[in-house]
Amino acid sequence: MLIYFFCLPSALFAEEWSEARLHSITLALESAVKQKHWEQAIDLGESTLVGCLTLRTEQDPGCIAIMVKNAVAYYKSGLSQTHFKQIARAYRQSSSVLGAEHFSTFNAREIYYQLLMERERYKEAIPLVIEYIDVEKATNNDEYKILDRLIQLYGLYQVTEQYEHGEPTLLRMLHLTEKLLGTDDQDYKRIALTLAELYCRQKRYHEFFSFAGKHKLGLRCPSS
C-alpha cells in the first residue's frame, strides 16, 4: 500500500482543494468577470464552485457569491436558458441566506425573472415581482418604480387567472397614480375604468355605482 501511495501521480494532489487554492481561483474568476471575459468566467466559476462546495456548504456566502457570478456569466454569454436550474439555485440561495436586499440577490433576481418571463412561467414570476416591490419600498422607495412593478404584478395575476388579487392590486395602483400623477392623468382614468368594470363583472353593483359616480366615469353596468 505504501509503494502504491508514493507512486500516485503528483497531478492528483495538485487537484486537491484547499482554501488557498479556492482563494486563488476566486480571484481569477473575479478578474474575468470584471473584464467581461464571460467564457473564461464560466470555466473558472464552475470549477471554483466545485471547490467551494467541497470545502464549505451551499449556504456559505462565498459559495453563493460564486453561484451568482456564474449566473451573470451564463446570462451575458447567452447561455442562461441552458443553465436555468443553476440560475434558479443562485437566486434562491442568495435570497434565503443573504436576504432580498443584498446586491447578489438583486443580480440573480433580475436574471431569473427574465428567464421565467421568457419561458412564460408567469406564476413563478409573481413572488419575484412582489419581492421587487418590497425591496424598493425598504431601500430607495422610488414610487414610480413601485408603480411600474404593480402594473406588472396586475398583468401577471390576470394572465395566471388569479383574479382575487385584481382588486387590491388595482386599488394600490390607483392610489399611487393619484399621488404621483393626479386624477386627470390618463393612466389614472384607465385604472379607474378597469376597476369599475371589475365591479360590474362581479355583479357588485353597489361598489360599481358608488365608485363610478365618485370618479365621474359615465359608465353603465348593463346587467344591473
Side-chain angles (χ1 to χ4, degrees):
M1 290 296 293
L2 288 175
I3 294 175
Y4 175 74
F5 179 86
F6 286 113
C7 288
L8 286 174
S10 59
L12 175 63
F13 297 99
E15 292 302 317
E16 288 182 348
W17 283 99
S18 65
E19 287 292 340
R21 182 181 176 217
L22 177 62
H23 177 69
S24 176
I25 301 182
T26 300
L27 291 178
L29 168 61
E30 290 173 354
S31 176
V33 170
K34 187 176 182 179
Q35 296 178 55
K36 300 180 181 180
H37 296 162
W38 301 120
E39 291 184 6
Q40 182 185 14
I42 290 171
D43 290 339
L44 288 167
E46 290 178 345
S47 176
T48 307
L49 184 58
V50 170
C52 195
L53 295 178
T54 299
L55 296 170
R56 305 176 189 174
T57 69
E58 196 170 282
Q59 288 73 42
D60 179 81
C63 295
I64 293 170
I66 295 167
M67 291 180 198
V68 174
K69 285 183 175 68
N70 289 350
V72 171
Y74 294 141
Y75 179 75
K76 294 292 187 179
S77 61
L79 298 173
S80 53
Q81 287 291 354
T82 57
H83 292 84
F84 180 85
K85 290 183 178 179
Q86 292 94 324
I87 292 169
R89 175 194 190 191
Y91 162 71
R92 289 171 183 147
Q93 287 297 113
S94 187
S95 183
S96 63
V97 176
L98 303 180
E101 298 177 22
H102 196 276
F103 71 93
S104 290
T105 307
F106 177 85
N107 289 334
R109 183 170 53 236
E110 285 284 339
I111 296 168
Y112 186 42
Y113 175 75
Q114 290 297 327
L115 287 182
L116 290 173
M117 295 300 289
E118 288 171 12
R119 292 189 171 202
E120 299 183 359
R121 295 170 67 162
Y122 301 125
K123 195 168 186 178
E124 295 171 68
I126 287 173
L128 275 71
V129 178
I130 293 172
E131 188 171 89
Y132 274 125
I133 294 169
D134 291 341
V135 168
E136 185 59 40
K137 287 173 69 176
T139 53
N140 301 317
N141 198 30
D142 185 327
E143 292 183 319
Y144 286 97
K145 289 183 179 180
I146 293 171
L147 180 58
D148 286 342
R149 293 297 185 184
L150 285 171
I151 294 169
Q152 291 177 16
L153 185 60
Y154 177 74
L156 289 170
Y157 282 140
Q158 291 299 109
V159 78
T160 57
E161 300 182 349
Q162 298 185 64
Y163 301 122
E164 68 276 12
H165 298 294
E167 180 186 4
T169 308
L170 283 170
L171 286 169
R172 292 174 70 187
M173 291 164 57
L174 193 71
H175 172 74
L176 202 48
T177 304
E178 179 179 3
K179 179 181 178 181
L180 296 173
L181 304 173
T183 57
D184 292 331
D185 183 79
Q186 290 302 312
D187 287 337
Y188 180 88
K189 293 176 181 178
R190 277 193 290 269
I191 296 167
L193 284 169
T194 302
L195 187 54
E197 290 166 355
L198 173 66
Y199 290 145
C200 182
R201 285 196 308 272
Q202 294 179 346
K203 300 181 179 181
R204 296 165 59 184
Y205 301 126
H206 175 74
E207 288 96 330
F208 171 81
F209 287 116
S210 175
F211 184 82
K214 177 182 177 182
H215 292 83
K216 300 177 182 179
L217 298 177
L219 288 179
R220 295 179 59 191
C221 189
S223 57
S224 61

